[in-house]
Amino acid sequence: MQLIKSLFCFQGHDNADRFLALAMTSIFATYLINTLVVESVAIKIFTLVVCASVVLASAVRRSRDSDKRLGVACGAFVSVVVAMLVVSFSDHALAVASLALPLMLVLYLFALPSTKPRAYITGYSGPIDLTELVEVQQPVQRSLNQRVEPNFFGQAQPQASFETNTVNRASSASLAVEMANNEFANRLYNWGQSKHTLLKSLVLLAVILWLSPLVMLSFSVAKITQPEVQQVVVDDTANTNVQQSTIDYQHDHKLAMPDDYYLLLNQYDGLIIHWQADRLNDGEIWSQHTAKGDDSCQFIEFNSGETVRTLNVVIENKGDYYANFSPLDSATVVELLALRGNFTLCGYRFSLKGSQRALNSHPKYVDWAN
């Protein structure tokens, strides 16, 4: 419990090793959990708040340990939070680029040298008492440490400054000082001091990479704010296409999915997956009845390995793909769309991020999705 408290403590100091471990773990834990594991917005926000708090507290302690102003810690924190928001709620492939700037600021704080020796325990020196961690690791040496404690500091008075129950913490100070002088951090700091021009160029590039996903995210937000207008346009186009085609589906069951494809249902509740791509020739490109055509259209294949056979795949209007499934498989396909990460069909790969939320918004698909 004391160790957990030390993660959120805004007082004291963190050495370079501890700060780097906490910052990198928090950033990549947020990325992995919010991108690959959970779909719930509430869980994503909770994960982001916890991990961002750990980064901020550690950055403040690291800045204090290196005798730098807290503005550096705040800058790192802001860039980390923005990057976490982008990777958590953006489906764009370039969202990962937003991590460039926070990672660079994390390395900068990591490279800063400590200003003085301190009694670090697990890289932390502060008001939270972590003495019990040292006692667990060195129970046999406790009495020895008490006797030789003055030799660790090269002076005779340390015993007067520490209480008996913190002897282990003080006696480990010499080891903590050695750990605070991270060789890689020193080399990174020296390199930065000698390469100002290159470093400024790298920072500028990181800022550009950090801003690019923000621009894309703003366009995504603008697109989401006008769903009704866009839906009307899509439906009008779809109605026109149906008059010229053999594809018959129930228009009130058409559902737009996040990665630019649509779910349709025919009169027998047979699922149809519709998307648009460049293709010159119309017609049936795969049929289960004849077992002829494009082999990549035989199955819809999910990232976990499950496959479901299509009845046929038809192209109309020089690029409108319609993959038809048996009514017996409709529920299975919709459930997999809700639970898996991506699928491949006819050589095209589609992301399923946000698919469960979309399916839950339509009364026809919600039961199959859950």
Side-chain angles (χ1 to χ4, degrees), residues 62 68 72 103-112 188-189 199:
R62 180 86 268 268
K68 295 293 182 180
V72 179
L103 290 178
M104 181 168 287
L105 291 176
V106 164
L107 288 177
Y108 171 73
L109 280 172
F110 163 74
L112 293 175
L188 186 62
Y189 181 78
L199 190 58

Side-chain angles (χ1 to χ4, degrees), residues 80-153:
V80 167
V81 170
V82 172
M84 286 179 173
L85 286 170
V86 171
V87 299
S88 296
F89 297 101
S90 173
D91 294 331
H92 203 283
L94 285 180
V96 153
S98 63
L99 295 173
L101 182 61
L103 290 178
M104 181 168 287
L105 291 176
V106 164
L107 288 177
Y108 171 73
L109 280 172
F110 163 74
L112 293 175
S114 298
T115 56
K116 62 176 67 173
R118 294 182 175 91
Y120 297 98
I121 299 178
T122 66
Y124 168 83
S125 175
I128 307 298
D129 186 7
L130 301 181
T131 305
E132 59 182 11
L133 299 179
V134 179
E135 292 176 348
V136 170
Q137 296 171 359
Q138 301 175 348
V140 178
Q141 299 180 8
R142 184 173 183 181
S143 61
L144 293 177
N145 287 338
Q146 290 176 351
R147 290 197 300 269
V148 298
E149 181 182 357
N151 293 332
F152 281 95
F153 297 94

Side-chain angles (χ1 to χ4, degrees), residues 122-263:
T122 66
Y124 168 83
S125 175
I128 307 298
D129 186 7
L130 301 181
T131 305
E132 59 182 11
L133 299 179
V134 179
E135 292 176 348
V136 170
Q137 296 171 359
Q138 301 175 348
V140 178
Q141 299 180 8
R142 184 173 183 181
S143 61
L144 293 177
N145 287 338
Q146 290 176 351
R147 290 197 300 269
V148 298
E149 181 182 357
N151 293 332
F152 281 95
F153 297 94
Q155 55 187 14
Q157 63 269 32
Q159 289 182 342
S161 354
F162 296 91
E163 298 295 332
T164 303
N165 61 352
T166 61
V167 170
N168 280 324
R169 181 178 178 183
S171 64
S172 64
S174 63
L175 178 59
V177 170
E178 294 175 2
M179 292 175 62
N181 294 325
N182 184 287
E183 182 179 354
F184 176 70
N186 292 338
R187 291 184 178 181
L188 186 62
Y189 181 78
N190 293 333
W191 178 85
Q193 293 288 67
S194 61
K195 304 288 185 181
H196 285 291
T197 303
L198 178 59
L199 190 58
K200 289 179 181 178
S201 301
L202 291 175
V203 171
L204 178 61
L205 177 61
V207 171
I208 293 174
L209 292 174
W210 183 67
L211 291 175
S212 298
L214 294 182
V215 176
M216 296 173 186
L217 185 61
S218 66
F219 281 114
S220 299
V221 171
K223 184 178 179 181
I224 292 174
T225 58
Q226 298 178 343
E228 297 298 329
V229 175
Q230 292 180 349
Q231 187 65 43
V232 170
V233 174
V234 171
D235 285 348
D236 288 344
T237 304
N239 291 337
T240 303
N241 291 342
V242 170
Q243 295 174 2
Q244 304 173 357
S245 71
T246 60
I247 302 300
D248 186 18
Y249 64 90
Q250 304 173 64
H251 297 285
D252 56 338
H253 293 157
K254 182 174 182 178
L255 177 62
M257 298 296 282
D259 200 12
D260 295 330
Y261 67 97
Y262 299 86
L263 298 187

Side-chain angles (χ1 to χ4, degrees), residues 9-15 18 58 60-67 115-116 118 120-121 123-127:
C9 175
F10 282 87
Q11 301 178 29
H13 310 79
D14 272 4
N15 65 16
R18 189 177 202 256
S58 186
V60 168
R61 296 192 301 267
R62 180 86 268 268
S63 296
R64 189 179 293 114
D65 185 67
S66 57
D67 200 21
T115 56
K116 62 176 67 173
R118 294 182 175 91
Y120 297 98
I121 299 178
Y124 168 83
S125 175

Side-chain angles (χ1 to χ4, degrees), residues 234-247 249 254 260-262 264 272-285 297 312-324 345-346 348 350:
V234 171
D235 285 348
D236 288 344
T237 304
N239 291 337
T240 303
N241 291 342
V242 170
Q243 295 174 2
Q244 304 173 357
S245 71
T246 60
I247 302 300
Y249 64 90
K254 182 174 182 178
D260 295 330
Y261 67 97
Y262 299 86
L264 316 171
I272 305 170
I273 296 181
H274 166 52
W275 72 96
Q276 292 182 323
D278 295 330
R279 181 87 177 208
L280 296 178
N281 299 323
D282 291 349
E284 188 177 64
I285 61 172
C297 296
N312 73 333
V313 178
V314 177
I315 297 179
E316 298 189 349
N317 302 321
K318 300 187 183 303
D320 286 333
Y321 282 69
Y322 296 90
N324 297 276
L345 182 57
C346 295
Y348 295 94
F350 299 89

